[in-house]
Amino acid sequence: MNFQGAAYDGPLEGCTICADTNGNLGCDGGEPSDTTDATGGYSIGLNDNQWTVMQTESTAGLLVLPSATCRDIHTGLEQRFALRGGKGATSVNPLSSLPAALTGSASSPGTPSAASRQSRNAVPSGRRLQSGYDYHMQQVRNNLWINQTYLLSTIDLTAYNAYEAVRTGRDYCMASALIVRGAQTQSTVHQVAPVRSQLD
């Protein structure tokens, strides 16, 4: 099975992205991986067991590793810290990395994963994300303070590619605002990291 999606903070080209099935925040132990293309796109081949782990295990997720070859195609800047998407995520970006950093727990077993929801962005009526990564992702989404609030409430951010939406002229206002919030998140991380390093 192919696990497909995109990595972006600006589309990220030349980045190693892997299915971190053991949840150790590394691409090791034969974990399947791919290199992102000029749109940030990737396609990772998974066997049946790996697919199940990626959909069900709380510690599993996608991981984009920083490297000299991993660059934002719009700015040419090197991606300098790892990006993560939690269990079932297909879109990896600064916003998806926030809830992955906030929790190591998973969504409830009844909550469908992003991969299973890719073809339908809307959250089913009456259904709400419950706990763990999905819960924190919902909290991030609810506190972005952007226009198009109703439309945002129907979008699964763990499967949403804001740059592709802008490129194709879809959800333009909301997608643009998400790009700005992602850039602000990235900037904050870059400022906090040196301070944390000094404190350590």
Side-chain angles (χ1 to χ4, degrees):
M1 296 181 178
N2 283 339
F3 207 73
Q4 297 176 316
Y8 62 88
D9 176 42
L12 292 172
E13 182 179 19
C15 307
T16 297
I17 180 169
C18 72
D20 184 17
T21 55
N22 62 16
N24 70 347
L25 301 181
C27 295
D28 52 18
E31 290 173 327
S33 65
D34 192 21
T35 301
T36 57
D37 62 23
T39 67
Y42 67 86
S43 179
I44 300 174
L46 303 175
N47 61 36
D48 290 345
N49 181 61
Q50 291 165 337
W51 177 267
T52 300
V53 168
M54 290 295 289
Q55 301 301 312
T56 61
E57 293 298 321
S58 62
T59 56
L62 290 171
L63 182 66
V64 175
L65 297 177
S67 72
T69 63
C70 181
R71 295 185 176 273
D72 181 330
I73 66 165
H74 293 317
T75 64
L77 295 176
E78 177 184 330
Q79 180 62 28
R80 303 186 74 178
F81 62 87
L83 296 175
R84 182 156 170 79
K87 173 180 68 69
T90 58
S91 177
V92 186
N93 55 72
L95 293 179
S96 74
S97 299
L98 285 177
L102 291 171
T103 181
S105 60
S107 59
S108 63
T111 304
S113 69
S116 68
R117 295 179 303 221
Q118 274 187 329
S119 60
R120 51 185 177 87
N121 284 330
V123 175
S125 177
R127 196 96 184 243
R128 290 294 177 266
L129 304 177
Q130 297 299 319
S131 64
Y133 178 87
D134 285 342
Y135 171 78
H136 287 290
M137 189 75 257
Q138 182 182 357
Q139 297 309 303
V140 169
R141 184 184 68 186
N142 291 346
N143 289 282
L144 289 174
W145 296 98
I146 66 175
N147 292 330
Q148 308 293 319
T149 303
Y150 174 74
L151 180 57
L152 180 62
S153 72
T154 70
I155 296 298
D156 179 2
L157 288 179
T158 62
Y160 188 76
N161 185 341
Y163 276 90
E164 180 66 13
V166 169
R167 189 185 70 77
T168 58
R170 178 171 46 87
D171 310 331
Y172 188 80
C173 290
M174 183 192 70
S176 298
L178 288 174
I179 289 170
V180 169
R181 290 293 184 257
Q184 290 170 330
T185 300
Q186 177 99 308
S187 177
T188 300
V189 170
H190 278 301
Q191 293 176 57
V192 168
V195 175
R196 176 64 184 271
S197 178
Q198 284 295 108
L199 290 175
D200 289 345

